[in-house]
Amino acid sequence: SISSFRNLLKCRFLGCTSFGAEFRRFSLDRHKPGKFEDFYKLVVHTHHISNSDVTIGYADVHGDLLPINNDDNFCKAVSSANPLLRVFIQKREEAERGSLGAGSLCRRRRALGALRDEGPRRRAHLDIGLPRDFRPVSSIIDVDLVPETHRRVRLHRHGCEKPLGFYIRDGASVRVTPHGLEKVPGIFISRMVPGGLAESTGLLAVNDEVLEVNGIEVAGKTLDQVTDMMIANSHNLIVTVKPANQRNNVVRGGRALGSSGPPSDGTAGFVGPPAPRVLQNFHPDEAESDEDNDVVIEGTLEPRLLSSLRADPRHSLALPPGGVEEHGPAVTL
Amino acid sequence: MGKLRRRGARELGAWECLPPAALPSLQTVEHGFPNQPSALAFDPELRIMAIGTRSGAVKIYGAPGVEFTGLHRDAATVTQMHFLTGQGRLLSLLDDSSLHLWEIVHHNGCAHLEEALSFQLPSRPGFDGASAPLSLTRVTVVLLVAAGDIAALGTEGSSVFFLDVTTLTLLEGQTLAPGEVLRSVPDDYRCGKALGPVESLQGHLRDPTKILIGYSRGLLVIWNQASQCVDHIFLGNQQLESLCWGRDSSTVVSSHSDGSYAVWSVDAGSSPTLQPTVATTPYGPFPCKAINKILWRNCESGGHFIIFSGGMPRASYGDRHCVSVLRAETLVTLDFTSRIIDFFTVHSTRPEDEFDDPQALAVLLEEELVVLDLQTPGWPAVPAPYLAPLHSSAITCSAHVASVPAKLWARIVSAGEQQSPQPVSSALSWPITGGRNLAQEPSQRGLLLTGHEDGTVRFWDASGVALRPLYKLSTAGLFQTDCEHADSLAQAAEDDWPPFRKVGCFDPYSDDPRLGVQKVALCKYTAQMVVAGTAGQVLVLELSDVPVEQAVSVAIIDLLQDREGFTWKGHERLSPRTGPLPWPAGFQPRVLVQCLPPAAVTAVTLHTEWSLVAFGTSHGFGLFDYQRKSPVLARCTLHPNDSLAMEGPLSRVKSLKKSLRQSFRRIRKSRVSGKKRAANASSKLQEANAQLAEQACPHDVEMTPVQRRIEPRSADDSLSGVVRCLYFADTFLRDGAHHGPTMWAGTNSGSVFAYALEVPAAAVGGEKRPEQAVEAVLGKEVQLMHRAPVVAIAVLDGRGRPLPEPYEASRDLAQAPDMQGGHAVLIASEEQFKVFTLPKVSAKTKFKLTAHEGCRVRKVALATFASVACEDYAETCLACLTNLGDVHVFSVPGLRPQVHYSCIRKEDISGIASCVFTRHGQGFYLISPSEFERFSLSARNITEPLCSLDINWPRDATQASYRIRESPKLSQANGTPSILLAPQSLDGSPDPAHSKGPDTPEPPEAALSPMSIDSATSADTTLDTTGDVTVEDVKDFLGSSEESEKNLRNLAEDEAHACAILIK
């Protein structure tokens, strides 16, 4: 059976001064959404804006504004509607200013970031979303810097729902030194929490040896120190590990690793030259602008007498329901 | 060498010169009473006293300020110590039967204690060629034969060996075997039984050839060393405990295990004496405990003193720790609160004198030292100028006040004198007066305040090497406690016999745990202070020179502010006494504020210029105007999901604390037992049993590895609402043009609240502000994204300096802050330091300590470091103690790391929790419940003992070559240091011939004297001075017992490691 579903359309004309936005509501077939081309036409037609070039975005369950520009993400958008799908339509020029992308609904990109991306650009005919149109996910980074036997993983915590979800322990690892093989203490991943971020990325595994945390080597540090370092960096955690399973290493330089053969360097315990301490993809500024902003709420500073203390039991500043804008203009109550 | 280098490194501008590893420890001196004392010695000629401890430390004390510290390499218990009279040398016996010779040597006018030689009895049987196999097990007693160059060693196997003290070599062929003695004993006494261990060896003052030997079985022998024959024999039959020789060689006193003592007369006859002239059981007739030690001292005025320890009736008073002093008909039973270690009398020791004439009796107890004046009727106690029992009640917090104005100092001293009036009649001052203190008179007065479990605050003179008690403030009198009349009842119930007299001040029992002091703050300009306690009580006090009788006004502030859904399951608030109460001269309470719920106060701050006090608990914070006696503000900081905070006095945490304490005790025990190679089997067995009993299941421990969960803090972590710091500042909160009073509060979950205060301005010249209400308005709320607990907040002026204390600027005591330029606020969390601009709060500089180093901030303070090179130059830095026990120094406001030192062992969480920084770059932390270690980060401001001692011992050059180890202040006397464990591979062989290491020449050391700067240029910004172990402190150690077990193993491994590395 075919069930129809309602679809709330919310259209914003940011360039227009006389009216800010208009809203349309229409329904789509959830199971047969059709082609993106058709949808685009429908939208343009519904809003009587066939003459202008627009980008279409939708709000996903996390509150991120994600683009609809091909069949696949259109399909994904429709299937994620619950039950309403909020679709945002913007003029192309507006959209290019960088309002799409992860976290764009709840926080603004840095002005610098917007400028960087705004350079004149020839748009290819094929519509490929800009990097910022995608939600950053946990990934292997610095493949070209880190020895092949190591893996540098950036765990991107999206929202706060998912726990990082792993445990570390003390252990011993064997290393090749000028004096021969030597057993040295090391820190290892001991357990993964099912459903946690670390497990769901598939980039870390039990018994992986932790070598660096956000560019700082853990050699010589105690388990507690490494724990504290990881927690202190948890908003943007970059861990360099030596995977216990060396068969899935990233191959570079055309050398192929036989799926059944030993690692290319021969000895399983060999640790290559110390990894450079540069984190290519780690721009402190960027990371901090995203993650490390302390929330500042300004008070009215109008004198209030103590007599009002009873009347206003909280005597505090309530957070606005939609959350607080970070590092933007302060919210004045 | 080390000291010179340290000074160089700590010179300003030279922070980066040296790697931290090259820096010696910062510790300068220990204050307080040695933990677990085990031996006592006194040199009547030099008038110095030595105390040995169970961790192998030796501490020598003379006149106030004269102190020497040494530590045996093996952390074994010091069982006996003997001074080589007048030589500044000390022979110590450890419980592994090794002997160590210590010397006080002078380098450039300053004296130090150094270990010169050590000796271990060879354990091979028949080493001396004697036909009879001698059992050379354990040395039980040591006697330095009066000539001084020979030591007699009594052993468990009844033999007496003789030793050359200068070389610590055995004098072979002189050994007195039991068989030799038994030859002179009648057969019917011998009856095939052994003599038992040698219990006592006593030399004669006038005739150094005679040695009185007492065997455990009861046989007393006077041995003539010169003629190698037995002079006289007393056939005692009661098990012997101790012996004392009368001054004229005619009497010998022996004490016995059945609580009796006997007086024997030494007649010229050669036949054995069968019976003592007198034998009494002083506390008979019922069975009594042993008299462990007895002294017999005669007096010129006739009669004699008999002083003995123990001997109490077993059934009724067997648990008392008593020393009895008997003279003629007068008997006093001194009743102490802790175990008696040893005692001595200060008396004439010149051989030509006919009488002992004891002046004083010094009793070393487990927890304190008590000295009695024996020349004044009534035998009053003489107050000790040092060795104060800091822990007479457990220390719960501490604070340091630097540069105390002379006037306030005098008032506190006079209040203290009124508190414990000196006995005017006492002719005797402190009898231990050896040595000269070379340290300069401190240029500024430092006051250390310690808050205690029983609700007292003690004021200590921390200006110099000797920590001197000044004044004691008790807050208990303000409250009704449960057990008020218990004492008087107990007193009444006691009989007149034995004539007990309570002596000493060690009293670990608290009437009511709610009285415990949690936070203390003192304003040195107005002599006002605030004391906050465990049951949410905040007491504002003021110093008064006259006693008064007045009522204290009480206010109650509800910090929950109608927050619903929480029930307090903890203790009740204290009920204050109503009506006028008498208050002695000293700090007298003015206002009592009680927080509801009555949780322990976690932060407090005082602004005397504004008459405001702010306080915080685990539920919120409040602001109180103590001039108008009215509340200004109450704010709840609880997170709705935080249920633990409501459950009362954190029972979970408490039990953790307990289990922690146990596991640390276990670690310590195992470490000590590891050292005791020569401990006898039975004690080993006991230890093993005890350990087995303590470990629930040691095998499971091996199986599960220690794991740590990696998870960021969330907003609803428990105890997120705990207020960690409070701060007042006159700064820019509203806008950049108008500054005004502000109050800042930081919580456990990384929230900072900033309030703008409306404080009515004081009239010109007037002390007090007009009677108008103070208003507080929330100006800013900062939530640190990393949500780590905020440990300190400070506002920096336009020049980047911390704001001065209240009254400092207005009274021209400090340089006025720069109120033109932009102010900034420094917020220190457990993970990061951040400087924000004001009035718009935006991050300026930061340092992420945890992300970089993996350590967490425990204590921070802004301290002024004065340059050594340049008289006037000083800069303010942020000193920070981490959970690893390291001290880091950062520039302010740049937050650049300057230098870091390792200071406290990271396992010593109570030490880390007790750390207090002073404003001139020194600090204190507890190394045991009874001792503060002092350390110095500053090159200029160092307090350490500098003293000299006149020693009449010609040191010839050859002596130096025997010295195998220097013992400067490298170690803590509790035997915990890392440096000291460094084995000096030289002592591999117990044979003294091999222990003659090569000379270790010492480069000349500049004469150094502690200098303190007395500048009031910056605020006293000791930001946090918690003494109690908080949740955060224990958090790192919260793991189950497996973890502590693991730690224990690691420790053992670490030690092994250290040795291996160093030997290599």
Side-chain angles (χ1 to χ4, degrees):
Chain A
S1 65
I2 295 165
S3 70
S4 71
F5 85 107
R6 291 164 300 144
N7 197 347
L8 170 69
L9 256 176
K10 186 176 166 194
C11 171
R12 288 162 74 195
F13 291 95
L14 291 166
C16 196
T17 47
S18 59
F19 52 93
E22 67 175 83
F23 304 91
R24 294 280 189 280
R25 242 175 122 107
F26 59 91
S27 61
L28 278 174
D29 184 341
R30 185 191 281 270
H31 296 283
K32 284 187 191 165
K35 298 266 181 212
F36 168 69
E37 287 288 302
D38 302 334
F39 177 67
Y40 185 84
K41 279 177 192 154
L42 173 69
V43 168
V44 171
H45 173 76
T46 315
H47 288 267
H48 314 292
I49 46 170
S50 352
N51 52 344
S52 53
D53 204 8
V54 297
T55 61
I56 302 174
Y58 73 101
D60 80 336
V61 287
H62 303 297
D64 287 341
L65 184 58
L66 300 177
I68 300 178
N69 49 19
N70 57 35
D71 291 349
D72 287 342
N73 56 22
F74 173 55
C75 220
K76 171 79 181 159
V78 172
S79 61
S80 69
N82 186 28
L84 289 182
L85 177 67
R86 292 166 76 207
V87 175
F88 294 77
I89 300 160
Q90 283 175 283
K91 278 189 181 170
R92 179 79 74 187
E93 309 85 69
E94 292 292 337
E96 274 183 15
R97 208 169 287 169
S99 60
L100 284 184
S104 52
L105 277 192
C106 51
R107 63 176 78 101
R108 263 211 230 153
R109 296 242 100 189
R110 270 189 124 196
L112 188 68
L115 282 173
R116 199 161 51 201
D117 293 335
E118 212 181 16
R121 190 176 310 174
R122 295 298 308 163
R123 190 165 283 275
H125 179 69
L126 185 66
D127 250 339
I128 298 176
L130 297 170
R132 58 192 156 80
D133 287 348
F134 295 93
R135 180 191 310 148
V137 292
S138 305
S139 54
I140 300 179
I141 59 170
D142 294 347
V143 178
D144 45 345
L145 295 175
V146 178
E148 282 176 26
T149 49
H150 297 178
R151 180 186 296 169
R152 185 167 290 166
V153 174
R154 179 182 202 153
L155 287 178
H156 195 95
R157 286 184 73 228
H158 179 73
C160 294
E161 323 79 39
K162 246 182 196 175
L164 277 173
F166 66 100
Y167 290 73
I168 57 172
R169 62 165 171 89
D170 277 317
S173 76
V174 181
R175 283 177 200 231
V176 179
T177 66
H179 312 291
L181 286 178
E182 229 173 57
K183 230 177 183 184
V184 292
I187 304 286
F188 294 84
I189 294 175
S190 63
R191 190 152 86 83
M192 294 286 192
V193 177
L197 181 68
E199 192 206 36
S200 63
T201 61
L203 302 176
L204 298 175
V206 171
N207 292 334
D208 285 2
E209 184 182 359
V210 177
L211 302 171
E212 291 177 359
V213 175
N214 287 54
I216 293 164
E217 284 183 46
V218 303
K221 292 203 156 56
T222 64
L223 183 65
D224 288 327
Q225 278 176 284
V226 178
T227 307
D228 282 337
M229 284 167 70
M230 286 189 170
I231 290 174
N233 287 305
S234 58
H235 54 81
N236 180 37
L237 183 59
I238 299 171
V239 199
T240 310
V241 295
K242 189 176 84 175
N245 178 2
Q246 288 281 338
R247 293 179 185 182
N248 299 327
N249 288 345
V250 176
V251 181
R252 64 167 193 249
R255 268 194 303 158
L257 270 179
S259 63
S260 59
S264 57
D265 52 53
T267 51
F270 180 77
V271 171
R277 299 194 44 164
V278 193
L279 292 173
Q280 194 185 40
N281 289 357
F282 175 61
H283 303 291
D285 289 348
E286 193 182 275
E288 281 166 24
S289 68
D290 273 348
E291 311 286 351
D292 198 31
N293 285 320
D294 307 316
V295 183
V296 179
I297 307 168
E298 306 264 343
T300 52
L301 287 175
E302 288 195 3
R304 227 182 297 181
L305 291 173
L306 179 71
S307 51
S308 66
L309 200 111
R310 279 271 149 201
D312 177 12
R314 296 297 128 77
H315 204 253
S316 70
L317 304 169
L319 285 171
V324 188
E325 213 162 334
E326 288 172 28
H327 218 272
V331 178
T332 306
L333 303 175
Chain B
M1 164 95 180
K3 281 185 179 145
L4 283 178
R5 194 192 286 165
R6 176 179 70 194
R7 269 149 237 258
R10 276 191 257 165
E11 201 163 310
L12 271 180
W15 293 113
E16 292 91 347
C17 286
L18 281 167
L23 297 164
S25 70
L26 319 165
Q27 283 78 10
T28 54
V29 66
E30 285 139 23
H31 296 303
F33 185 77
N35 190 35
Q36 294 191 305
S38 57
L40 177 71
F42 179 63
D43 183 339
E45 202 166 305
L46 293 176
R47 295 184 96 82
I48 52 176
M49 169 182 69
I51 295 178
T53 72
R54 289 173 66 174
S55 52
V58 177
K59 300 186 129 202
I60 297 182
Y61 300 90
V66 177
E67 276 188 43
F68 308 96
T69 304
L71 184 61
H72 289 95
R73 262 156 300 156
D74 296 321
T77 300
V78 180
T79 53
Q80 285 181 47
M81 293 192 297
H82 300 273
F83 273 108
L84 280 75
T85 311
Q87 299 182 0
R89 293 200 290 172
L90 178 79
L91 192 65
S92 63
L93 171 69
L94 304 187
D95 68 351
D96 60 2
S97 283
S98 62
L99 283 163
H100 301 262
L101 185 65
W102 295 82
E103 295 175 3
I104 294 169
V105 290
H106 284 75
H107 296 301
N108 301 302
C110 289
H112 303 274
L113 182 65
E114 293 174 2
E115 185 178 339
L117 290 171
S118 67
F119 169 77
Q120 182 105 33
L121 262 191
S123 49
R124 299 187 311 275
F127 74 101
D128 55 355
S131 52
L134 298 163
S135 58
L136 302 160
T137 46
R138 215 163 59 85
V139 177
T140 49
V141 281
V142 175
L143 168 73
L144 289 167
V145 181
D149 279 347
I150 295 176
L153 312 178
T155 65
E156 217 164 28
S158 318
S159 307
V160 179
F161 296 91
F162 292 90
L163 201 65
D164 179 14
V165 173
T166 49
T167 56
L168 281 194
T169 46
L170 213 55
L171 295 170
E172 305 200 353
Q174 289 201 24
T175 306
L176 174 62
E180 203 162 337
V181 174
L182 282 170
R183 275 203 296 277
S184 329
V185 173
D187 284 343
D188 55 340
Y189 185 85
R190 227 181 297 163
C191 43
K193 280 192 276 182
L195 292 172
V198 179
E199 281 294 333
S200 184
L201 287 173
Q202 298 291 326
H204 196 265
L205 189 64
R206 289 179 178 167
D207 188 353
T209 58
K210 286 181 181 173
I211 299 173
L212 178 62
I213 304 169
Y215 296 95
S216 179
R217 190 179 149 193
L219 181 72
L220 314 184
V221 174
I222 296 176
W223 173 255
N224 194 318
Q225 173 72 1
S227 60
Q228 293 280 312
C229 65
V230 173
D231 265 10
H232 201 88
I233 277 188
F234 309 87
L235 298 176
N237 277 312
Q238 188 52 245
Q239 194 174 343
L240 187 74
E241 288 287 326
S242 86
L243 281 177
C244 183
W245 209 329
R247 192 171 192 94
D248 50 346
S249 42
S250 63
T251 42
V252 166
V253 190
S254 62
S255 76
H256 302 280
S257 62
D258 64 345
S260 67
Y261 67 84
V263 183
W264 307 77
S265 68
V266 185
D267 44 12
S270 59
S271 62
T273 309
L274 296 170
Q275 288 296 324
T277 48
V278 186
T280 50
T281 306
Y283 294 103
F286 299 111
C288 291
K289 298 192 86 173
I291 293 181
N292 307 103
K293 178 173 178 175
I294 191 161
L295 293 178
W296 170 289
R297 300 281 180 248
N298 64 356
C299 303
E300 193 166 9
S301 50
H304 52 258
F305 279 98
I306 292 177
I307 303 166
F308 60 88
S309 64
M312 301 310 292
R314 196 172 278 278
S316 37
Y317 301 110
D319 55 343
R320 300 284 183 111
H321 310 289
C322 292
V323 169
S324 304
V325 184
L326 175 67
R327 190 188 174 191
E329 295 304 305
T330 319
L331 170 70
V332 169
T333 312
L334 304 169
D335 186 9
F336 297 102
T337 50
S338 56
R339 202 163 58 86
I340 293 148
I341 306 298
D342 201 355
F343 58 93
F344 64 83
T345 58
V346 180
H347 61 274
S348 162
T349 50
R350 283 178 303 176
E352 60 270 25
D353 282 350
E354 206 171 320
F355 298 99
D356 292 318
D357 276 331
Q359 301 158 19
L361 168 68
V363 185
L364 177 68
L365 304 153
E366 182 102 48
E367 308 288 356
E368 60 187 321
L369 179 82
V370 174
V371 173
L372 296 184
D373 176 3
L374 293 182
Q375 290 178 323
T376 307
W379 304 327
V382 183
Y386 45 78
L387 283 174
L390 287 168
H391 60 319
S392 50
S393 168
I395 295 176
T396 46
C397 68
S398 39
H400 184 265
V401 185
S403 313
V404 178
K407 195 179 161 202
L408 173 64
W409 189 268
R411 290 177 71 194
I412 292 173
V413 168
S414 106
E417 278 166 0
Q418 290 182 46
Q419 223 169 25
S420 54
Q422 300 286 322
V424 188
S425 57
S426 178
L428 190 75
S429 52
W430 186 247
I432 298 155
T433 55
R436 281 191 318 275
N437 184 7
L438 301 178
Q440 287 177 354
E441 190 68 13
S443 57
Q444 56 116 356
R445 298 284 179 192
L447 198 59
L448 183 67
L449 310 180
T450 54
H452 297 263
E453 206 171 27
D454 62 353
T456 57
V457 177
R458 281 158 217 259
F459 290 61
W460 307 90
D461 174 3
S463 324
V465 166
L467 196 67
R468 194 163 57 94
L470 293 179
Y471 168 72
K472 178 178 122 181
L473 160 71
S474 176
T475 60
L478 185 59
F479 303 102
Q480 295 170 351
T481 49
D482 306 335
C483 28
E484 237 148 65
H485 303 290
D487 273 348
S488 54
L489 284 172
Q491 289 289 332
E494 247 167 35
D495 293 335
D496 292 347
W497 177 262
F500 283 120
R501 184 177 138 197
K502 290 246 175 236
V503 192
C505 61
F506 178 73
D507 177 17
Y509 306 107
S510 169
D511 289 350
D512 190 333
R514 295 175 297 169
L515 291 170
V517 175
Q518 296 292 329
K519 293 283 161 185
V520 179
L522 169 72
C523 169
K524 61 190 179 189
Y525 300 108
T526 56
Q528 292 174 346
M529 73 182 292
V530 55
V531 176
T534 307
Q537 72 271 32
V538 179
L539 203 52
V540 180
L541 305 107
E542 194 168 0
L543 183 60
S544 164
D545 300 327
V546 287
V548 292
E549 184 158 326
Q550 66 173 22
V552 177
S553 68
V554 180
I556 292 172
I557 289 198
D558 180 15
L559 293 179
L560 281 185
Q561 291 291 303
D562 305 331
R563 195 67 77 92
E564 279 170 13
F566 293 119
T567 44
W568 172 252
K569 296 176 193 161
H571 47 230
E572 295 282 297
R573 75 182 171 97
L574 286 160
S575 49
R577 293 185 200 209
T578 48
L581 296 166
W583 298 103
F587 281 91
Q588 296 165 349
R590 295 284 179 261
V591 178
L592 169 67
V593 182
Q594 291 186 288
C595 301
L596 281 183
V601 175
T602 53
V604 82
T605 185
L606 178 72
H607 201 295
T608 48
E609 211 166 345
W610 304 335
S611 299
L612 293 176
V613 61
F615 41 87
T617 69
S618 46
H619 303 101
F621 55 88
L623 181 63
F624 192 85
D625 173 358
Y626 62 83
Q627 185 184 317
R628 293 183 75 240
K629 297 185 171 53
S630 66
V632 179
L633 169 77
R635 161 81 199 237
C636 181
T637 53
L638 279 181
H639 191 274
N641 299 351
D642 186 0
S643 54
L644 186 59
M646 299 310 303
E647 281 173 4
L650 308 176
S651 51
R652 250 165 70 185
V653 177
K654 230 177 193 171
S655 66
L656 278 168
K657 214 165 137 182
K658 195 176 156 196
S659 68
L660 258 175
R661 205 175 294 143
Q662 279 171 350
S663 50
F664 275 100
R665 208 170 283 154
R666 206 182 309 150
I667 291 169
R668 209 171 298 136
K669 189 183 276 176
S670 75
R671 197 186 304 140
V672 170
S673 69
K675 296 276 175 196
K676 280 185 202 160
R677 300 271 177 263
N680 54 24
S682 70
S683 76
K684 256 183 187 164
L685 194 70
Q686 276 170 11
E687 236 159 49
N689 280 335
Q691 284 196 2
L692 272 176
E694 275 184 355
Q695 308 172 356
C697 40
H699 298 293
D700 295 358
V701 168
E702 307 282 340
M703 307 302 283
T704 47
V706 182
Q707 288 194 117
R708 290 281 187 274
R709 184 158 190 223
I710 307 300
E711 216 50 72
R713 269 167 231 281
S714 72
D716 48 334
D717 271 353
S718 60
L719 301 174
S720 61
V722 178
V723 176
R724 291 292 293 270
C725 58
L726 289 159
Y727 178 68
F728 285 116
D730 182 1
T731 187
F732 302 89
L733 192 64
R734 297 153 191 264
D735 55 68
H738 307 95
H739 62 90
T742 59
M743 186 194 77
W744 300 72
T747 73
N748 233 12
S749 57
S751 297
V752 175
F753 305 92
Y755 284 82
L757 308 179
E758 282 291 342
V759 182
V764 180
E767 280 287 292
K768 290 208 164 180
R769 55 183 172 75
E771 290 289 318
Q772 284 168 28
V774 175
E775 290 155 21
V777 183
L778 183 58
K780 298 266 197 313
E781 212 178 304
V782 180
Q783 174 62 55
L784 301 176
M785 280 315 274
H786 61 283
R787 294 194 178 275
V790 178
V791 293
I793 300 171
V795 170
L796 309 171
D797 73 359
R799 288 183 293 259
R801 292 188 183 163
L803 296 183
E805 276 178 86
Y807 282 114
E808 254 183 1
S810 62
R811 290 189 182 172
D812 289 333
L813 297 162
Q815 198 180 1
D818 177 9
M819 301 305 275
Q820 307 302 318
H823 281 198
V825 60
L826 167 68
I827 297 179
S829 78
E830 280 196 359
E831 294 185 355
Q832 308 183 358
F833 307 116
K834 276 189 161 178
V835 174
F836 295 90
T837 57
L838 284 176
K840 178 169 164 29
V841 177
S842 63
K844 211 163 110 185
T845 52
K846 68 176 149 196
F847 186 82
K848 295 180 165 186
L849 185 70
T850 308
H852 283 103
E853 309 277 340
C855 53
R856 305 176 65 78
V857 178
R858 283 286 170 262
K859 303 278 166 175
V860 288
L862 288 165
T864 310
F865 291 89
S867 165
V868 176
C870 171
E871 267 308 295
D872 316 322
Y873 183 70
E875 60 184 54
T876 302
C877 291
L878 181 73
C880 148
L881 176 76
T882 70
N883 64 335
L884 304 178
D886 294 345
V887 176
H888 296 246
V889 179
F890 297 88
S891 66
V892 170
L895 297 183
R896 275 194 310 278
Q898 303 292 303
V899 69
H900 82 269
Y901 310 95
S902 70
C903 182
I904 310 177
R905 285 182 312 119
K906 70 175 180 217
E907 293 82 10
D908 184 8
I909 50 166
S910 65
I912 292 172
S914 64
C915 177
V916 175
F917 286 106
T918 77
R919 64 187 269 189
H920 298 311
Q922 292 199 20
F924 300 88
Y925 63 91
L926 289 172
I927 51 172
S928 71
S930 56
E931 283 168 291
F932 270 115
E933 178 77 56
R934 193 178 188 125
F935 62 91
S936 182
L937 306 170
S938 162
R940 257 289 273 286
N941 191 17
I942 292 170
T943 307
E944 61 188 349
L946 289 169
C947 44
S948 74
L949 198 61
D950 294 322
I951 297 167
N952 59 17
W953 171 50
R955 284 192 59 186
D956 49 344
T958 57
Q959 295 293 339
S961 65
Y962 290 111
R963 203 181 317 136
I964 57 168
R965 196 180 63 121
E966 304 285 322
S967 167
K969 178 84 184 78
L970 286 176
S971 57
Q972 299 170 359
N974 63 353
T976 52
S978 48
I979 300 165
L980 235 272
L981 292 171
Q984 303 230 341
S985 55
L986 301 170
D987 58 346
S989 158
D991 187 340
H994 290 274
S995 65
K996 297 170 189 171
D999 193 3
T1000 46
E1002 203 168 347
E1005 197 174 350
L1008 298 155
S1009 54
M1011 294 186 12
S1012 312
I1013 44 166
D1014 190 12
S1015 65
T1017 48
S1018 73
D1020 193 346
T1021 39
T1022 303
L1023 295 168
D1024 187 17
T1025 53
T1026 328
D1028 212 352
V1029 176
T1030 65
V1031 201
E1032 295 305 316
D1033 295 317
V1034 296
K1035 214 166 185 175
D1036 302 332
F1037 293 85
L1038 285 195
S1040 46
S1041 61
E1042 301 129 49
E1043 276 174 41
S1044 43
E1045 282 308 318
K1046 170 103 180 167
N1047 288 342
L1048 186 149
R1049 284 203 309 278
N1050 287 347
L1051 265 178
E1053 280 166 22
D1054 282 353
E1055 279 183 14
H1057 260 262
C1059 293
I1061 291 160
L1062 280 157
I1063 287 164
K1064 191 164 49 168

